[in-house]
Amino acid sequence: MACSLSGDGLGGRTAQWQRLIDGTERQETDEGIRLTLPADRAGAVAALAAAERRFCPSFGFRLHLDGPVLHLQARAPSEGAALLAELFGSAV
């Protein structure tokens, strides 16, 4: 899988995601993970997802605003599953 972000850049991006999705509800999906978080984070999530796509074009993101919550689906091909788990953690 071709992702052009590595090293410190990847570490910084992972830290950004972890701060943004702190305290979210996680659910495994067939292709990745679905996160539910407060809707007021939608702008920051959209900006970070767009930045992520520039470096990992095989990742896919879907945002769904549903009243007071935002559902974020993040997906990747099977060879990107480990990187996706590193960025978003896993459902518990």
Side-chain angles (χ1 to χ4, degrees):
M1 187 175 92
C3 284
S4 61
L5 195 61
S6 62
D8 290 341
L10 179 59
R13 179 66 54 77
T14 300
Q16 287 178 302
W17 276 116
Q18 293 303 311
R19 281 190 302 273
L20 191 57
I21 64 172
D22 184 46
T24 63
E25 177 184 318
R26 291 170 165 84
Q27 178 184 11
E28 297 285 332
T29 67
D30 289 340
E31 297 176 310
I33 192 161
R34 181 178 190 233
L35 306 168
T36 301
L37 53 155
D40 63 357
R41 299 184 197 175
V45 168
L48 197 51
E52 199 67 57
R53 289 270 306 150
R54 284 191 292 276
F55 294 104
C56 291
S58 62
F59 278 10
F61 297 95
R62 179 173 291 154
L63 285 74
H64 175 86
L65 287 167
D66 187 15
V69 298
L70 168 69
H71 302 290
L72 168 66
Q73 283 186 274
R75 57 183 168 72
S78 58
E79 61 271 11
L83 183 54
L84 198 67
E86 184 177 335
L87 289 174
F88 299 105
S90 60
V92 178

